[in-house]
Amino acid sequence: MSKSQQPLMSEITPQTEDFSRWYLDVVRKAELADYSPVKGCMVIRPYGYAIWELIQQQLDKRFKDTGHVNAYFPLFIPESLIMREAAHVEGFAPQVAWVTRGGDEELEERLVVRPTSEAIIGTMYAKWIQSWRDLPVLINQWANVVRWEKVTRPFLRTTEFLWQEGHTAHETEAEAEEETLKMLGVYKEFAENVLAMPVLDGQKSSSEKFAGASRTYSIEALMGDGRALQAGTSHNLGQNFARAFEIRFQGRDKALQYAWTTSWGVSTRLIGGVIMAHGDDSGLILPPKIAPYQVVIVPIQRGNWQETVLPKAKAVQADLQSLGVRVFLDAREEFTPGWKFAEWEMRGVPLRLEIGPKDIEKGQVVLARRDTREKMPTPLAELQPRVTSLLDEIQQALLARAIKFREEHTSSSATWDEFTTAMEGRPGYVVARWCGRDVCEAEIKSETQATIRNLPFQQVPGGVCVHCGQPAVTDARFAKSY
RNA sequence: CGGGGCGUGGCUCAGCCUGGUAGAGCACUCGGUUCGGGACCGAGGGGUCGAAGGUUCAAAUCCUUUCGCCCCGACCA
């Protein structure tokens, strides 16, 4: 290993030593988030929040492009409303926070802090929807939600988290299903093209379905330790919530009928996914499309650098900014270049631009890629197109690398023996035949820790279940998960 | 919620067993020399030892309670 390839962040636990500790080190050292005085709740620091804002912008555009509009619904949900959908309450009951007092008065009706907003939104939809002409309703909300979690981890699972939840109502079952799959597709495209995180899209098994949904679909991403992360879900709620909240409309045939609703969401968990999908022992590696700084300029401070190097660095910064590149010029005098290299590498900046007296003599700068650590002297005349194409290359390379990793960590098992062997260590996905029964799935989980992440869309029956030997109804993708 | 570990300047930790003036490295402030992969010298500032109660002449140290965090298992974006 050459010197330039050695990890420099000795303050970060190596991934192979303890992946979970590595993750926490990166979150803290890169200043993405910090623990707060509130149990299970983290503070998203400016650098982490900037990533979230970039995720929001790019997702929001996709929602608007598919015909959705944003709105905002209340944080509190009256107890009576959340009780309406039986499966829904049962699913969320252990996780809700209650408000029982306002000021010094006991509330007549308790309020839950929303763990998700189907109940309150469904109630409003019932008022707004009268006729088939009112459909579809395509609303998204960016919000915080609260779920009383027993075990929390920054970004991956916190008591309060930020997300978006789309809630739509449709005239027909087919339309609702189309919407559910369309938004899953948006998530997949976004995860792969923006987060450079390849995902498997498919259907959740009935035991992992959203509380109250008819069908749940998910995208699943593979993390660097071989465990899978549910990165987004899209639910076809059938008429379950429409019946519970009386979302009814008069159809084209004049008959009164229940609407077909969907909901879909992704959260700040995506940031955790990006960290664990791309990061290495030196820290974070951010895909350019969500990097708060895509390029960091490190001037070499030698001699009268303020008169020579700094103006050039500022000119380069302006040139790149004019292309829409997010650039930070790190002209702090209290740190040496070497320190800054390590620091910005740890914080995942895709491209570093070094500029010193020697470069100015030669009319060039030195570019360094975060993903490959390759250093490239680049003539100033070629800088603009070079930076643009490099950012694009890095974006592509991260996706390609992650796809390769997933391929190397995907296997299939025909027998239970193969399955248990395959599940040892850090296996990634194991594809196997499955009988479709909850009990069998539960047994597999208790014996191997592996769960069904999702089922491929094409469910082809035949053969026998890898675990119980009964007739199989489909392939299933198993993995240990977060 | 069970099992384990840890709470001492901002961070990582030593000190605790065997009670007796709170320490180190890094970070921070100031001055100077440096600067192409985490520079160096000098001088400084900063901690009611997670919290509460108890034992004691005396508690970071012993006892009790409590809170938080981390790891491993049962539930979840």
Side-chain angles (χ1 to χ4, degrees):
Chain A
M1 183 185 274
S2 76
K3 194 174 182 185
S4 67
Q5 289 173 321
Q6 285 172 2
L8 294 163
M9 267 308 299
S10 53
E11 295 164 43
I12 294 178
T13 308
Q15 291 188 337
T16 48
E17 184 183 318
D18 185 340
F19 194 85
S20 157
R21 192 164 293 278
W22 168 85
Y23 175 78
L24 294 167
D25 287 346
V26 169
V27 166
R28 207 178 56 245
K29 301 281 182 188
E31 297 183 358
L32 299 174
D34 201 358
Y35 295 103
S36 77
V38 189
K39 182 181 166 71
C41 295
M42 65 172 178
V43 174
I44 304 176
R45 300 184 66 174
Y47 196 63
Y49 200 80
I51 296 173
W52 180 237
E53 287 178 316
L54 288 161
I55 288 174
Q56 279 186 304
Q57 285 163 18
Q58 293 170 82
L59 261 180
D60 202 63
K61 179 175 189 312
R62 285 165 170 77
F63 297 157
K64 303 279 169 61
D65 288 348
T66 45
H68 302 85
V69 290
N70 285 330
Y72 188 78
F73 295 84
L75 170 67
F76 300 121
I77 301 173
E79 179 168 16
S80 56
L81 288 189
I82 202 132
M83 299 302 282
R84 290 216 187 162
E85 216 288 333
H88 190 57
V89 197
E90 199 186 326
F92 279 102
Q95 284 187 281
V96 298
W98 291 97
V99 176
T100 61
R101 295 174 70 88
D104 52 8
E105 283 179 30
E106 205 72 22
L107 300 183
E108 274 185 38
E109 178 176 7
R110 298 195 294 173
L111 302 171
V112 308
V113 180
R114 63 180 165 218
T116 177
S117 302
E118 275 75 7
I120 192 86
I121 293 178
T123 303
M124 298 312 294
Y125 281 10
K127 293 171 70 170
W128 297 340
I129 296 167
Q130 313 293 330
S131 150
W132 66 272
R133 295 179 193 278
D134 295 325
L135 297 171
V137 173
L138 305 171
I139 291 179
N140 174 65
Q141 127 164 310
W142 290 96
N144 58 339
V145 287
V146 167
R147 298 182 185 177
W148 219 254
E149 298 287 353
K150 290 169 181 170
V151 180
T152 60
R153 278 143 82 69
F155 293 113
L156 299 176
R157 181 173 300 107
T158 47
T159 299
E160 179 188 7
F161 59 94
L162 305 183
W163 76 345
Q164 68 52 226
E165 46 181 328
H167 293 269
T168 69
H170 305 265
E171 194 179 345
T172 65
E173 181 171 22
E175 267 182 53
E177 179 71 4
E178 186 190 337
E179 168 79 5
T180 309
L181 292 173
K182 180 199 284 177
M183 298 321 288
L184 188 77
V186 167
Y187 288 157
K188 180 174 164 67
E189 184 274 329
F190 174 82
E192 298 185 341
N193 291 332
V194 177
L195 307 180
M197 191 168 74
V199 294
L200 292 177
D201 52 342
Q203 185 176 347
K204 282 291 191 184
S205 67
S206 64
S207 69
E208 300 246 340
K209 206 171 61 177
F210 176 74
S214 293
R215 277 187 296 284
T216 288
Y217 300 96
S218 74
I219 53 169
E220 303 280 334
L222 194 60
M223 303 294 100
D225 62 348
R227 291 169 75 185
L229 181 75
Q230 180 171 301
T233 48
S234 187
H235 316 291
N236 184 333
L237 304 175
Q239 290 179 310
N240 306 335
F241 284 82
R243 287 178 196 278
F245 296 97
E246 295 182 327
I247 308 171
R248 284 182 296 188
F249 66 96
Q250 192 166 24
R252 294 169 203 254
D253 60 358
K254 296 181 185 160
L256 201 57
Q257 52 203 283
Y258 290 107
W260 299 84
T261 66
T262 81
S263 67
W264 28 274
V266 297
S267 71
T268 38
R269 171 182 277 188
L270 288 176
I271 297 174
V274 167
I275 298 169
M276 293 192 293
H278 302 306
D280 64 16
D281 283 350
S282 297
L284 205 54
I285 298 179
L286 291 173
K289 287 184 182 174
I290 57 159
Y293 303 127
Q294 296 169 307
V295 176
V296 63
I297 301 174
V298 178
I300 306 304
Q301 306 178 346
R302 189 185 293 166
N304 60 340
W305 73 283
Q306 306 243 24
E307 283 79 50
T308 55
V309 177
L310 190 58
K312 206 72 194 171
K314 284 183 174 166
V316 165
Q317 179 185 30
D319 278 356
L320 294 178
Q321 279 171 340
S322 73
L323 296 176
V325 177
R326 295 183 288 274
V327 190
F328 179 68
L329 170 58
D330 189 353
R332 293 176 295 177
E333 295 192 61
E334 61 268 37
F335 298 106
T336 60
W339 190 92
K340 291 176 186 174
F341 295 171
E343 175 73 6
W344 292 112
E345 223 158 71
M346 188 261 294
R347 301 185 77 179
V349 176
L351 263 187
R352 181 178 68 244
L353 191 156
E354 304 169 20
I355 180 165
K358 286 185 246 168
D359 297 311
I360 290 172
E361 274 173 37
K362 295 183 207 164
Q364 64 169 36
V365 298
V366 176
L367 291 171
R369 285 175 65 150
R370 173 61 178 91
D371 61 334
T372 60
R373 294 177 189 282
E374 187 186 354
K375 277 201 185 195
M376 297 155 289
T378 307
L380 273 171
E382 295 170 22
L383 185 61
Q384 287 194 343
R386 193 80 184 102
V387 164
T388 318
S389 65
L390 270 172
L391 289 174
D392 194 49
E393 259 179 59
I394 293 168
Q395 183 79 33
Q396 300 304 323
L398 289 179
L399 178 62
R401 183 202 275 182
I403 290 172
K404 182 159 176 281
F405 179 85
R406 184 178 68 187
E407 281 167 358
E408 290 164 357
H409 290 82
T410 300
S411 61
S412 60
S413 295
T415 68
W416 185 239
D417 240 25
E418 279 175 28
F419 188 91
T420 52
T421 308
M423 274 300 168
E424 287 164 11
R426 293 180 169 181
Y429 295 111
V430 177
V431 179
R433 301 296 295 163
W434 179 54
C435 62
R437 297 178 309 129
D438 288 357
V439 281
C440 184
E441 183 184 4
E443 284 168 13
I444 293 171
K445 184 176 180 182
S446 70
E447 288 172 42
T448 64
Q449 291 178 26
T451 53
I452 295 178
R453 298 324 303 154
N454 60 28
L455 311 170
F457 289 113
Q458 297 289 327
Q459 301 187 3
V460 184
V464 295
C465 176
V466 72
H467 177 253
C468 67
Q470 293 194 17
V473 295
T474 179
D475 269 345
R477 297 149 172 166
F478 292 87
K480 295 176 186 170
S481 76
Y482 274 93

